[in-house]
Amino acid sequence: MQKSKQVYLLGQKLRNIYNNITDKAIAITKLTHWYIDVENLGIKSFNAITNTIKINYESILNHFERRSTNAKKSV
């Protein structure tokens, strides 16, 4: 499979995890598999997002528990 297609699919996979998973334990597993897939692909353009996930891991997981973020609601 072409790398560009793999990159696209990994982006979609992350979006689907964030938008559709509502259980924290499942989110941990899915994010771990996603992260491994990204590392195995070796695309540097994913470094920023993987570093962001590492740094903010607990806050990100809270989204799956309470479907909340630390972002302010815009009016």
Side-chain angles (χ1 to χ4, degrees):
M1 184 183 310
Q2 292 179 334
K3 279 204 176 192
S4 59
K5 184 173 183 175
Q6 289 175 303
V7 168
Y8 173 79
L9 292 175
L10 282 170
Q12 291 299 313
K13 188 175 181 180
L14 182 60
R15 181 178 290 114
N16 287 335
I17 292 167
Y18 187 78
N19 288 334
N20 299 319
I21 303 299
T22 57
D23 182 273
K24 188 175 181 177
I26 294 171
I28 291 169
T29 302
K30 297 261 185 196
L31 283 171
T32 300
H33 287 285
W34 179 86
Y35 194 88
I36 291 168
D37 290 344
V38 168
E39 284 186 331
N40 289 338
L41 190 57
I43 299 291
K44 291 183 181 184
S45 61
F46 276 108
N47 287 352
I49 188 67
T50 55
N51 286 336
T52 299
I53 290 171
K54 279 184 197 176
I55 292 167
N56 299 292
Y57 192 66
E58 288 302 318
S59 296
I60 290 167
L61 290 178
N62 285 338
H63 167 78
F64 299 102
E65 194 170 76
R66 296 186 293 276
R67 301 305 280 179
S68 63
T69 67
N70 64 351
K72 292 184 178 181
K73 216 178 202 181
S74 59
V75 182

